[in-house]
Amino acid sequence: MRVEIRDYRGVERADIDMSLIALVAGPNETGKSCVAEATRAALTGNPIPIAGVLKKDAKLLVRDGAEKGHACVTDGEYSTMVCWPTGPTATAVSKSVPIKCSGYAAGFTHILDLNAKDRAKVLATYIKSMPTKEDVVNAATDAGYTEGAIAKIWESIEDAGWDHTYKRAREYTVTLKGQWQEVAGEKYGAKKGESYRVADDEGRSFLTDCLATAERAVVDTAGAVAVSESEIENLKRKIDEAAGVQNQIAINDELNATRDDLSKVQQERAAMPEDPDKAAAEPEVIPCPECGAALMIEAGVIHAYEKPKPPEALSPKVIQRREALDVTIAEHHEIIGALEQRIKAATKLTGEAKAAKARLKTIEAAPKLDEAVVELAKDTVGDARAALTSFDFKVRAYKLHGDLVKNDKLIGILAPDGLRKRKLAGKLDAFNATLAALCESARWPAVRLDENLECRYDIRPIWGASKSGQWRARAIIQVAMAQLD
């Protein structure tokens, strides 16, 4: 691998062969750090290798007196380059992906400078310790989740990420606690929730039977003739309505008289002559084959046809009378229909009134009820219904308690220190083995990451080591990540 640097800060020109190990040495302020910065920029594709420098100030990275600079790293047929002040460009000699490494491998940043959460996230990518779908399925199944629910959990992890899914699970806890408080009437607590455990479904069946028995007792106590005031008022109303109906015999007499008048009018109308235009059609006339005279057949006998005289036109007086009779006939039909409906309605009201009188007579003859006994029976119904309602509330509360317990398990799975941390811890052994091998090659004390991803140098935490010890630990971890990168 070769590094080529031109006009970057204090470096005018540098061509370095890094096939094995390259030692860059010299007095202070001669450009050693600049060589590392430029190489770092080319390897990562980041043209700003110094923290705090903005892209708009990239021209300040060009050596004084030069217009532009660049850094290029070449490894056989692959290469990558950055230019100043125009920004990054990448050139691939072949069609393959150009050289590129991460900021952790190039020394831009270090995982020991990250907080525990971000450190775990970055390291998980390097050592491939992120939990798989199978890991989530196994953990969620142990927590009591169904196959369908687990599929939704994994879908959320894939779409929104672990942290977002973890946040949603925590928010769901707040929702469940609110529902529990609404049902139970008090704030949720794990011990309180467990105290809401109730008997199985047989317990509810018993309370349901108690309520049914109490309701039947109310009916039996009140008796079969116990009726409400509204029923009595309804019976009296039906009797009053029937009393206001015209006598049915009088309506029948009126109907019969109307029918007699109709019969007389219809007879008079039938006796009147019809219009000449409506006279019978003339018979079929056949000419005689010998003489041509008009012949006709009537009742099987052939005789000479004699044309009948044309009917006389009706007089205006006859026409006027006939029209009057037609109107009278139509009116009589209408009156008869109305009378028949009145008879039908009167018959119905009369029947209902008769039944209502019989019902009132039965009610009046029934024994008086003991109101105290009835009220006691009603109170029993109220107590039974309250007991059943309380049972249902406890069942609902305990169901919510179970959901909260299960959701807490899911939160434990999704939390940064949950399944991800356990999976990461399982992968740490291989990573620590890499660190140990590097330390042995350098003949330095062992460097490792503990279960909390805190760095240890020899037997002490890294912050307890000397400055040179801290530098060694950071260098070993950087080299290990560069190897993985």
Side-chain angles (χ1 to χ4, degrees):
M1 179 181 291
R2 295 187 59 80
V3 177
E4 175 187 289
I5 302 172
R6 297 291 185 272
D7 295 318
Y8 173 79
R9 296 186 68 199
V11 180
E12 178 182 0
R13 178 188 181 95
D15 295 285
I16 305 172
D17 183 356
M18 298 181 65
S19 300
L20 294 175
I21 295 177
L23 175 64
V24 180
N28 291 340
E29 299 185 357
T30 54
K32 301 186 299 297
S33 297
C34 294
V35 170
E37 291 169 4
T39 305
R40 175 191 299 168
L43 285 172
T44 61
N46 185 348
I48 311 297
I50 303 174
V53 178
L54 303 177
K55 286 187 177 181
K56 66 182 182 65
D57 297 325
K59 59 182 179 295
L60 299 177
L61 299 176
V62 179
R63 187 179 64 85
D64 293 342
E67 294 183 359
K68 59 183 179 178
H70 71 265
C72 178
V73 177
T74 304
D75 182 18
E77 57 186 66
Y78 307 110
S79 67
T80 184
M81 175 187 289
V82 292
C83 299
W84 294 282
T86 56
T89 60
T91 304
V93 177
S94 71
K95 295 182 180 180
S96 301
V97 178
I99 299 171
K100 195 71 174 286
C101 72
S102 73
Y104 299 100
F108 258 127
T109 186
H110 201 286
I111 62 169
L112 296 185
D113 296 330
L114 304 176
N115 59 44
K117 179 180 177 182
D118 291 337
R119 186 181 302 173
K121 188 180 298 185
V122 170
L123 197 58
T125 303
Y126 271 83
I127 64 177
K128 296 181 174 55
S129 66
M130 288 301 293
T132 64
K133 181 178 181 180
E134 183 180 359
D135 296 327
V136 174
V137 169
N138 292 334
T141 300
D142 293 341
Y145 282 88
T146 63
E147 183 177 343
I150 294 173
K152 291 182 179 179
I153 293 170
W154 180 251
E155 182 180 355
S156 176
I157 292 173
E158 284 192 312
D159 293 343
W162 281 82
D163 291 338
H164 180 74
T165 306
Y166 169 64
K167 179 182 177 182
R168 288 178 58 186
R170 290 176 62 88
E171 291 172 349
Y172 187 50
T173 291
V174 176
T175 301
L176 289 174
K177 286 184 176 180
Q179 293 176 358
W180 196 92
Q181 183 171 352
E182 183 178 351
V183 172
E186 57 180 337
K187 288 188 176 181
Y188 174 77
K191 291 184 178 179
K192 289 180 183 178
E194 189 61 31
S195 70
Y196 275 72
R197 183 190 294 270
V198 295
D200 54 18
D201 290 341
E202 292 182 0
R204 191 181 194 285
S205 298
F206 172 75
L207 293 175
T208 303
D209 292 342
C210 289
L211 177 59
T213 301
E215 290 174 338
R216 284 195 301 270
V218 171
V219 176
D220 294 340
T221 303
V225 295
V227 294
S228 65
E229 290 297 327
S230 61
E231 183 184 357
I232 295 175
E233 291 178 1
N234 187 46
L235 294 172
K236 290 180 178 180
R237 179 180 58 77
K238 290 183 177 181
I239 295 172
D240 292 340
E241 288 177 351
V245 175
Q246 184 181 358
N247 189 291
Q248 189 172 345
I249 296 176
I251 301 176
N252 276 323
D253 290 343
E254 184 180 353
L255 176 62
N256 291 332
T258 304
R259 285 174 174 168
D260 290 341
D261 288 345
L262 175 61
S263 178
K264 292 176 182 179
V265 174
Q266 287 176 332
Q267 290 177 6
E268 182 182 354
R269 176 66 178 83
M272 297 193 72
E274 295 294 334
D275 290 335
D277 295 339
K278 296 182 179 179
E282 293 186 7
E284 183 180 1
V285 178
I286 304 172
C288 175
E290 294 293 338
C291 64
L295 304 176
M296 62 178 292
I297 302 175
E298 189 175 18
V301 179
I302 299 176
H303 57 83
Y305 170 70
E306 295 180 3
K307 188 173 183 178
K309 295 180 180 180
E312 296 181 0
L314 297 178
S315 68
K317 184 177 180 181
V318 172
I319 294 174
Q320 184 178 6
R321 178 58 181 167
R322 189 179 63 182
E323 292 177 350
L325 290 173
D326 289 338
V327 172
T328 302
I329 290 172
E331 291 175 347
H332 276 56
H333 278 301
E334 185 175 345
I335 293 172
I336 289 171
L339 290 172
E340 288 175 342
Q341 289 297 322
R342 289 172 59 192
I343 291 173
K344 184 177 180 181
T347 301
K348 179 181 178 183
L349 288 174
T350 302
E352 291 178 349
K354 183 177 180 180
K357 289 178 180 179
R359 177 62 176 156
L360 283 175
K361 186 175 181 181
T362 302
I363 293 172
E364 292 171 355
K368 300 300 180 182
L369 300 175
D370 187 340
E371 294 296 335
V373 175
V374 174
E375 289 302 319
L376 179 60
K378 290 181 179 179
D379 289 343
T380 304
V381 170
D383 293 342
R385 184 173 288 112
L388 181 59
T389 300
S390 176
F391 181 91
D392 288 341
F393 271 111
K394 293 190 74 172
V395 169
R396 173 63 177 156
Y398 190 70
K399 169 64 169 56
L400 288 170
H401 166 67
D403 291 342
L404 279 161
V405 171
K406 189 167 63 173
N407 195 63
D408 282 345
K409 293 179 181 179
L410 178 61
I411 289 174
I413 294 170
L414 298 172
D417 59 350
L419 183 59
R420 285 176 284 176
K421 185 175 180 180
R422 294 195 297 273
K423 189 71 179 291
L424 180 61
K427 292 284 188 175
L428 272 180
D429 290 343
F431 185 69
N432 283 331
T434 299
L435 297 180
L438 290 171
C439 291
E440 184 177 355
S441 297
R443 298 181 181 178
W444 290 348
V447 176
R448 66 183 180 87
L449 298 178
D450 63 18
E451 64 275 7
N452 295 317
L453 300 184
E454 297 294 338
C455 180
R456 291 189 170 273
Y457 180 72
D458 199 6
I459 61 174
R460 62 182 63 86
I462 187 173
W463 55 263
S466 64
K467 291 296 182 182
S468 61
Q470 293 179 21
W471 182 89
R472 290 172 180 174
R474 294 173 67 91
I476 288 293
I477 291 175
Q478 181 180 343
V479 171
M481 295 188 72
Q483 287 181 342
L484 292 174
D485 201 51

